[in-house]
Amino acid sequence: MARLRSFQRLASHFVDIADFLLVYIEEAHPSDGWVSSDAAYNIPKHQCLQDRLRAAQLMREGAPDCPLAVDTMDNASSAAYGAYFERLYIIQEEKVMYQGGRGPEGYKISELRSWLDQYKTRLQSPSTVVIQV
């Protein structure tokens, strides 16, 4: 939950230059599967899309201002982006500009913040214009 709050703070800070989206994917540590001792929630393995949608609401509570999408039951988004367990991305004009490491170890809000800071600086820098006469 702390990571989600950090993500929400980041999204609030950079709302002027980026759109943020959370995508809820397959539960990494379901309560009826490979259980983690530090799991924040007791969520059983999703048997249908309705199960996944209910579980995703918990994510919505952690980041209420951020749009939320839910992966399909065949885990198409997770497979396409290699997101399992959790991962951060920046996509610009249909191109991956930043791909964080796989979570939980590779999930680094600080790296994402650094990328966004640099991007914001580039946006605010006056562009050099060459005029030929």
Side-chain angles (χ1 to χ4, degrees):
M1 190 56 120
R3 287 181 178 182
L4 197 50
R5 283 190 292 271
S6 294
F7 181 83
Q8 178 65 36
R9 282 191 301 273
L10 182 86
S12 296
H13 183 76
F14 289 103
V15 70
D16 60 329
I17 63 163
D19 296 318
F20 291 82
L21 174 69
L22 294 169
V23 180
Y24 185 81
I25 61 175
E26 181 178 7
E27 190 62 35
H29 297 287
S31 58
D32 57 350
W34 184 31
V35 181
S36 172
S37 61
D38 63 346
Y41 301 103
N42 183 10
I43 300 172
K45 182 176 168 97
H46 309 135
Q47 300 300 315
C48 62
L49 187 56
Q50 292 297 40
D51 290 347
R52 191 165 284 184
L53 290 169
R54 278 190 294 276
Q57 286 306 313
L58 296 171
M59 183 180 279
R60 156 95 42 231
E61 292 169 14
D65 297 331
C66 202
L68 173 68
V70 177
D71 202 358
T72 59
M73 289 305 291
D74 65 356
N75 303 308
S77 296
S78 181
Y81 287 93
Y84 198 75
F85 300 109
E86 57 191 346
R87 207 164 204 176
L88 298 167
Y89 281 90
I90 293 176
I91 301 171
Q92 192 174 49
E93 297 179 18
E94 300 181 21
K95 182 179 177 188
V96 174
M97 304 300 289
Y98 168 86
Q99 176 180 327
R102 288 186 182 198
E105 294 83 13
Y107 185 95
K108 297 180 180 170
I109 291 283
S110 60
E111 284 183 4
L112 186 61
R113 177 178 292 279
S114 177
W115 194 99
L116 288 165
D117 277 332
Q118 290 172 18
Y119 178 69
K120 190 171 188 171
T121 298
R122 285 193 311 269
L123 287 176
Q124 294 171 343
S125 297
S127 299
T128 303
V129 178
V130 176
I131 302 173
Q132 292 184 344
V133 284

